[in-house]
Amino acid sequence: MSREQRARVDAMMRQGRHEGPATVEEMRAGFRALMAGMKVPEGLRTTPAELGGRPALRVEPEAGPRAGTILYFHGGAWVFGSPETALSLTGHLVAKTGFGAYSLDYRLAPEHPFPAAIEDGVNAYRALLDGGEDPAGIVFAGDSAGGGLSVTACLAARDAGLPLPAGILAFSAGLDATRSGESMDGKAGADPVFTRADFDRTSALYLAGADPRQPLLSPAVHADLSGFPPMLLQVGTNELLLDDSTRLAVRAREAGVDVVLDVTAEAPHVFQALVGELDEAEEALDRAALFLTQRIRPRDTRVGG
């Protein structure tokens, strides 16, 4: 990552900040506009779908997918975003692995606060299982709030007695609604995307009065990760949410879970979406794709399966 790339991306991200309190609709429109500029690879087929009672976007290679499924949860602070805004990330994972993905249009706050998104994630996963998919062929993945949802949906699925997916891939995940990580203040000047006030606003909309000190809201602080599948946590050092990932990695290791904490220096929040702007974005996606191909092993592709 060149000095010029870092400076250009930092300036671009800071330019996108909204001055003063924004309405929910302004936040949603601004995020759509930002993500519309992200590069989507060629050679993909996207079709509307339904999964667990919610709309979803099916993303797959034009030539057809290999066996296995990425269940993707988009970012957007629980308040904005959609499968379309995450298409750059989902598309690159599909293009690099050959797997098909379902990107879930889970319910958003403030219209649908906690735990609606988690319920939708579990229902989507249950629908895949009920449709005959092997859990060993499914990985949960997501960015930002969706990265957090990949973890909390797995917690809820485990507690509901469902077999767990083969792995979890999380980009810059939001994993602590208590906002108690040191990076929340220590990275305030370095983060070009968010301020603590931003998180206070969207968290209040999502929590709707719920106590943040519980596993499904703050897994980096309060979750028991026993029995969890392997995880890859990617995060940049220039983001307030850095310690969400570093602390979850510690909890995972202490619970005996295979975990890779992949930290990229001087990279901003969800830098993987910046293909063409940051060299590290492509490199991080390559590492993510390797993780997916190592983890997704449905029965019909495993030796002796």
Side-chain angles (χ1 to χ4, degrees), residues 48-303:
E50 184 272 337
L51 201 59
R54 290 296 303 166
L57 188 67
R58 174 66 174 170
V59 185
E60 56 190 0
E62 285 182 348
R66 61 194 288 193
T69 297
I70 303 166
L71 180 56
Y72 197 87
F73 305 114
H74 67 80
W78 311 105
V79 173
F80 43 89
S82 68
E84 287 73 24
T85 63
L87 186 54
S88 172
L89 292 163
T90 316
H92 278 104
L93 293 176
V94 168
K96 288 178 179 292
T97 64
F99 296 121
Y102 285 100
S103 187
L104 184 67
D105 192 4
Y106 57 86
R107 288 173 291 171
L108 298 175
E111 297 89 345
H112 304 283
F114 169 81
I118 298 171
E119 293 169 350
D120 291 346
V122 174
N123 288 340
Y125 180 51
R126 193 189 302 271
L128 291 175
L129 298 178
D130 290 347
E133 294 206 26
D134 182 2
I138 302 170
V139 159
F140 290 1
D143 64 281
S144 196
L149 183 53
S150 69
V151 174
T152 54
C154 191
L155 279 171
R158 182 196 65 187
D159 294 347
L162 296 177
L164 295 188
I168 295 172
L169 166 64
F171 299 141
S172 299
L175 299 160
D176 176 20
T178 72
R179 307 300 178 198
S180 58
E182 291 183 7
S183 58
M184 284 297 298
D185 295 314
K187 296 295 181 177
D191 193 321
V193 181
F194 293 117
T195 66
R196 179 182 278 275
D198 294 329
F199 286 123
D200 288 345
R201 173 95 190 284
T202 54
S203 289
L205 295 173
Y206 178 55
L207 268 63
D211 185 350
R213 296 167 298 180
Q214 55 182 295
L216 292 180
L217 285 170
S218 299
V221 185
H222 294 291
D224 172 9
L225 301 178
S226 300
F228 252 48
M231 295 191 290
L232 172 60
L233 308 175
Q234 290 190 346
V235 67
T237 62
N238 284 12
E239 54 177 309
L240 299 186
L241 295 183
L242 170 61
D243 285 348
D244 287 37
S245 291
T246 59
R247 289 177 297 157
L248 189 80
V250 171
R251 294 189 75 82
R253 185 175 68 243
E254 291 175 346
V257 175
D258 291 339
V259 58
V260 176
L261 176 64
D262 182 352
V263 182
T264 297
E266 299 185 53
H269 187 67
V270 194
F271 66 94
Q272 297 86 348
L274 298 169
V275 171
E277 299 288 343
L278 285 180
D279 295 339
E280 274 72 7
E282 189 92 49
E283 294 167 3
L285 287 166
D286 286 340
R287 296 193 297 274
L290 176 61
F291 173 81
L292 293 176
T293 56
Q294 289 175 330
R295 298 270 67 85
I296 295 179
R297 300 290 181 91
R299 274 189 292 266
D300 61 353
T301 64
R302 288 182 290 174
V303 175

